[in-house]
Every structure is written in structure tokens, then in C-alpha cells.
Amino acid sequence: MKKVVILTGAGISAESGIKTFRDSDGLWENYRVEDVATHEAYLRNPQLVLDFYNARRREVFKAKPNEAHRQLVRLEEKYDVRIITQNIDNLHEQAGSTNVLHLHGELTKARSDRNENLIIDIGEQDIHLGDKAPDGAQLRPHIVWFGEAVPNIEPAAKLCEEADFFVVIGTSMNVYPAAGLIHYVPQTSPCWLVDPKAVPISRTIKIIQEKAGTGVKRVVDELLSL
Ligand code: NAD
């Protein structure tokens, strides 16, 4: 089975009602990223950061996958489909995609403040100050904050090296190291980009300048017809 590797960003969830942050002048739900999505912010004001992610988690549990998430599931009829997502929501999983690698963590998980490998499932639950991991340390969101290492970048790069086809959806390609993954894709493997804005990419790529809700179907139809 040929392998389709898909890199998704916040744009794929926009039509499910979850805001991206680069589309609103660098603000994410009216917060500056430096105030809620860095380790320094967490040390300075843990309550604010926990509240922010608790709100994001509640929002995700109210949201439903959209047409773009659903279309990607169709590809599994014919291909070995691997989704690499920068998103912390679980809308790909809710839609039924079976192979999803989260680069920046997941809202439905929490981890020990002291040990990044001690991760627990929390589902819809809020995290409060005083909630403890099994090692006795404070629980924090299982999110890779800006400035932190991205543990899943190596498996993601390996998947990209093995891609027969590569599709990029709804990402400004501004956040590294995720944005560098495309350079691991073999030059001979056809690539597509779905985004309503012009995203600068330095390789031959078929551009579908549309929202994911309509653009992803075009890519999926084309791939299924090959
Ligand atoms: P991003 O850098 O991936 O940029 C958003 C991109 O989506 C832009 O290029 C924009 O043109 C495009 N877009 C907007 N509406 C679209 C639509 N309907 N269809 C297709 N594309 C559309 O994402 P970001 O917002 O800058 O976020 C970067 C990081 O912030 C993420 O990697 C993630 O860790 C976090 N984040 C996650 C979520 C989520 O989980 N849903 C939401 C916001 C931010």
C-alpha cells in the first residue's frame, strides 16, 4: 500500500469553530501566545495557563469534526494514511482517522511537571492547581509549549521520508520544527497544499487556495482516482 503523509495545522479545525491564532494578529483567543503557551508563562502564572487550556479543552469537546477531517478518513480505503498534526484537538480521531501523530501534544492528556514521560489520560477533565501526577508533582497540560523540544519530530521526519504522497493543510508553515518536515519528503513524491492564504513553500507543490472544507475533498478525490 502506498503511503500518504498529511501535515495539518490549526486551519483544518477552523471550520469546526476552533480559532487559529495567526489569523487574528498573533492573538490566540484574545491572549498573547507568550502569556499562555510558554513554560515561562506557566511559571509566572500557572492558574492563567491552566485556565486557558481548560477552556480550550471544553471548546474541543463541544466541537465536531468538519468535512475536511472526514474526507481524510476516506483515503484509508486505498492508502496507508499517516496524519502528522500540529493541533492539540482530537478532531482527526473523532472523525475516525486511525493513525494520528500529535507534534504539539494533546488536550485530553496531562503530564507530570517533573517528568515529561509520565503522561495520563484526562479526557474532558479540567486540570487544577494541586492536582497531582502519580509521582506527586503538579499536573500540567500535555502540550509542547513554544521554546520546548518536540519529542515526536523524529518519528514525524521518518514518516515524511517514506511518503509516496504528501499533503499540507491549514498551516502557515511558521512554527518550527514542524514547518521543516516537508524537506524530508522525497523530491519525486507529489505534494499538495490546501490553505486559503498564500503560504510560502520552497518546493514544487500543487496549490489549492481554498478553505479545507472544500479543498481537501479535491485532493482526496484526485488521490483516490490515481
Ligand atoms: P498555523 O500556523 O497552522 O496557521 C493557520 C493556517 O490556517 C493559516 O495559514 C491560515 O491561512 C489557515 N486557515 C485558516 N482558515 C482555514 C480554513 N478554513 N481551511 C484551511 N486553512 C485555513 O496555525 P496557528 O493558528 O498559527 O497555530 C500554530 C500552533 O498553535 C499549532 O501548531 C498548535 O499547537 C496551536 N493551535 C492549535 C489549535 C488546534 O488544536 N485546533 C488551534 C490554534 C492553535
Side-chain angles (χ1 to χ4, degrees), residues 8-21 28-29 53 55-66 68-70 72 83-97 100-109 123 142-144 169-170:
T8 64
I12 196 168
S13 296
E15 287 158 89
S16 292
I18 300 178
K19 281 194 193 136
T20 66
F21 72 82
W28 187 6
E29 297 286 350
Y53 285 99
R56 303 284 70 73
R57 192 176 303 103
R58 286 188 212 136
E59 177 183 55
V60 161
F61 273 93
K62 276 195 236 134
K64 298 251 180 311
N66 64 53
H69 298 103
R70 285 193 293 272
L72 294 181
I83 296 176
I84 303 168
T85 188
Q86 299 170 79
N87 295 344
I88 56 177
D89 65 50
N90 60 1
L91 296 180
H92 285 301
E93 289 91 339
Q94 279 194 47
S97 284
V100 185
L101 181 68
H102 285 267
L103 279 183
H104 296 158
E106 293 169 74
L107 281 168
T108 55
K109 294 181 178 165
H142 176 51
I143 302 293
V144 177
I169 305 164

Side-chain angles (χ1 to χ4, degrees), residues 153 156-158 160-163 177 180-187 203:
I153 199 70
K158 187 160 183 304
C160 291
E161 282 171 354
E162 295 164 358
L181 283 171
I182 193 161
H183 301 301
Y184 291 86
V185 178
Q187 281 299 330
R203 75 162 276 162

Side-chain angles (χ1 to χ4, degrees), residues 22-137:
R22 271 167 226 287
D23 288 321
S24 45
D25 299 327
L27 294 180
W28 187 6
E29 297 286 350
N30 300 323
Y31 289 89
R32 291 187 322 146
V33 168
E34 307 86 73
D35 292 337
V36 291
T38 64
H39 194 242
E40 291 72 24
Y42 178 66
L43 293 177
R44 210 165 42 235
N45 192 343
Q47 187 70 61
L48 175 78
V49 173
L50 292 182
D51 287 347
F52 175 78
Y53 285 99
N54 289 340
R56 303 284 70 73
R57 192 176 303 103
R58 286 188 212 136
E59 177 183 55
V60 161
F61 273 93
K62 276 195 236 134
K64 298 251 180 311
N66 64 53
E67 189 58 21
H69 298 103
R70 285 193 293 272
Q71 286 293 329
L72 294 181
V73 182
R74 280 176 67 212
L75 276 178
E76 297 193 13
E77 294 162 17
K78 181 166 178 180
Y79 294 102
D80 175 7
V81 179
R82 309 301 180 99
I83 296 176
I84 303 168
T85 188
Q86 299 170 79
N87 295 344
I88 56 177
D89 65 50
N90 60 1
L91 296 180
H92 285 301
E93 289 91 339
Q94 279 194 47
S97 284
T98 55
N99 245 308
V100 185
L101 181 68
H102 285 267
L103 279 183
H104 296 158
E106 293 169 74
L107 281 168
T108 55
K109 294 181 178 165
R111 72 163 169 89
S112 157
D113 217 353
R114 229 173 7 225
N115 177 359
E116 64 180 319
N117 298 315
L118 190 49
I119 300 162
I120 61 166
D121 280 315
I122 55 167
E124 283 186 63
Q125 283 172 53
D126 284 354
I127 305 176
H128 303 284
L129 278 179
D131 288 350
K132 297 283 192 316
D135 64 353

